[in-house]
């Protein structure tokens, strides 16, 4: 039986073990990596866009991304707290670096210098600076947290699979709750409600790329291969029936690029089998609506459909030309700068939030115009040059990687460009863009020639 102790004169009072703040702080600082990755997984699980049109037009609707304490939402506050704790730990722990740090730092400095020129002539039109800076912050935060918190190959693989699983799980929940049992309120050309209208349609690219990549690389059993094919088909059907043109085209391109390692003979046989199944389905009747949706998706994406969708995007291209003039084609107009809808289209689809109206806009529906409008042709050239530099690093790591490393490198490499391209359209996509680039950088670190002796996963 322990004897009760009494404090001696001049000695500090003992702190109860249950509230030992120093021990608690020590544990937090020892597990900052796990805390950082948990924040990313939690943020990636919650959609930023409203799941229904009714929620979109409801001024009282809030979700985890729109619920704010001051200028920041809960995820951003958590990231800021993590950054503060990390800065304190850097006083005793040396900083880490990663493969992509140098080229990305050069890119950031170049774009920042370009912004000084661009914003000098656009200060009167800066209205959406907070929205743009939020997306830039999340992109950088996703990259920084992943590159500093993923310790080894096993942790990288585990985090990537959990992230992909959470995205797939959330998309399934949204489809069941709003697409099948409820109504999203978005009507497609088939005169039915879309199954999924959040950004999850695009983010499903990550689980598709990983599953299809594992299939192509021969890493799956027979039943695993069947599951990968069926899962990929379901993603395409959902996006087609939901009229998610960007998701269909970009995921389709990712699957096509990821299939290049399958071998010409197997690729031709697989394509022939899919075409035969599609032809039978169309001829039998049930597949015709889906075929019509495919044809419409392609024609409308090429601005060849005779409807409001093509008219709106053609109007945006004309508006881009009207809003950019002279040197602005080189430097861009700057982040946070509005654009004016001088050429009206038959339909206005304002879905980027803020105080947009029929004449004052923030985002563009034509892919890539966000980057060109904010950073100009010179900024876009800088981004492409950085992409080439990063691609060379990825290719070098890919040649020296084992099977697991090649699977992750190839699959992540087809996801990162579309996510970065659309980073300014949605905060969750911006975060996912940073995460994917960060995971690629850690893959290059862990499968570089310098780490050849590390055990594989």
């Amino acid at each position: 039986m322990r004897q009760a102790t009494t404090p001696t004169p001049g000695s500090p009072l003992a702190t109860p073990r249950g509230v030992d703040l120093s021990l608690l702080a020590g544990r937090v600082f020892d597990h900052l990596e796990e805390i950082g990755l948990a924040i990313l997984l939690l943020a990636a699980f919650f959609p930023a866009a409203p799941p229904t049109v009714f929620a979109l037009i409801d001024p009282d609707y809030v979700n985890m991304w729109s619920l704010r304490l001051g200028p920041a939402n809960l995820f951003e506050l958590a990231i800021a707290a993590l950054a503060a704790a990390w800065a304190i730990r850097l006083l005793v722990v040396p900083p880490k670096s990663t493969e992509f740090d140098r080229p990305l730092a050069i890119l950031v400095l170049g774009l920042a210098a370009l912004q000084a020129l661009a914003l000098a002539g656009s200060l009167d039109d800066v209205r959406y600076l907070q929205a743009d800076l939020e997306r830039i912050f999340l992109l950088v935060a996703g990259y920084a947290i992943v590159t500093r918190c993923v310790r080894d190959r096993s942790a990288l693989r585990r985090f990537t699979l959990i992230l992909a699983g959470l995205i797939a799980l959330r998309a399934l929940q949204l489809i069941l709750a709003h697409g099948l049992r409820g109504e999203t309120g978005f009507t497609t050309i088939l005169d039915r409600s879309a199954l999924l209208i959040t950004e999850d349609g695009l983010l499903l690219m990550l689980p598709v790329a990983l599953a299809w990549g594992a299939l192509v690389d021969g890493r799956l059993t027979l039943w695993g291969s069947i599951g990968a094919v069926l899962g990929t088909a379901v993603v395409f059907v959902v996006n087609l029936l939901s009229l998610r043109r960007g998701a269909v085209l970009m995921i389709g391109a990712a699957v096509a690029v990821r299939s290049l390692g399958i071998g010409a003979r197997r690729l031709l046989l697989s394509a022939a089998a899919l075409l035969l199944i599609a032809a039978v389905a169309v001829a039998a009747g049930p597949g015709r609506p889906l075929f019509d949706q495919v044809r419409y998706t392609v024609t409308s994406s090429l601005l060849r459909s005779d409807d409001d969708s093509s008219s709106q995007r053609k109007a945006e291209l004309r508006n881009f030309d009207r809003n950019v003039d002279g040197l602005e084609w080189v430097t861009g107009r700057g982040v946070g700068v509005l654009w004016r809808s001088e050429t009206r289209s038959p339909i206005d689809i304002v879905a980027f939030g803020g105080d947009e109206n029929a004449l004052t806009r923030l985002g563009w529906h034509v892919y890539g115009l966000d980057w060109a409008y904010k950073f100009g042709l010179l900024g876009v050239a800088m981004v492409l040059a950085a992409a080439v530099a990063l691609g060379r690093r990825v290719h070098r790591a890919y040649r020296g990687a084992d099977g697991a490393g090649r699977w992750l490198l190839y699959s992540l490499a087809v996801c990162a460009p579309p996510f970065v391209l659309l980073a300014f359209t949605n905060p969750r996509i911006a975060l996912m863009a940073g995460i994917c680039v960060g995971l690629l950088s850690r893959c290059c670190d862990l499968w570089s020639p310098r780490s050849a002796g590390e055990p594989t996963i």
Side-chain angles (χ1 to χ4, degrees), residues 23 43 144 185 190 208 231 258 301 426:
L23 179 61
L190 300 180
V208 166
R258 194 60 183 85
S301 298
N426 182 284

Side-chain angles (χ1 to χ4, degrees), residues 214-357:
L215 170 66
V216 170
D217 295 347
R219 301 179 60 83
L220 299 178
T221 63
L222 174 61
W223 287 109
S225 301
I226 294 173
V229 172
L230 292 178
T232 301
V234 168
V235 169
F236 276 110
V237 169
V238 167
N239 279 316
L240 283 168
L241 295 180
S242 303
L243 204 57
R244 304 290 93 187
R245 300 176 188 83
V248 171
L249 295 175
M250 293 182 187
I251 295 178
V255 168
V257 173
R258 194 60 183 85
S259 300
L260 295 179
I262 200 172
R265 183 172 178 273
R266 291 173 60 193
L267 185 60
L268 290 175
L269 289 175
S270 300
L274 290 175
L275 289 175
L276 178 61
I277 294 172
V280 172
V282 170
R288 182 166 295 279
L290 193 61
F291 174 76
D292 293 338
Q293 195 83 331
V294 172
R295 182 173 58 184
Y296 175 77
T297 298
V298 174
T299 56
S300 63
S301 298
L302 297 175
L303 306 183
R304 296 299 181 183
S305 59
D306 188 19
D307 65 354
D308 293 337
S309 171
S310 292
S311 300
Q312 182 200 17
R313 284 159 174 77
K314 290 177 181 177
E316 282 197 359
L317 292 173
R318 289 191 291 268
N319 278 313
F320 186 90
D321 181 59
R322 288 175 177 266
N323 280 267
V324 180
D325 186 38
L327 188 62
E328 292 173 344
W329 282 96
V330 179
T331 64
R333 298 211 63 203
V335 296
V337 176
L338 59 84
W339 64 272
R340 292 181 173 86
S341 181
E342 298 181 7
T343 301
R344 302 300 301 277
S345 61
I347 186 172
D348 286 324
I349 308 175
V350 183
F352 294 90
D355 56 346
E356 289 180 320
N357 55 52

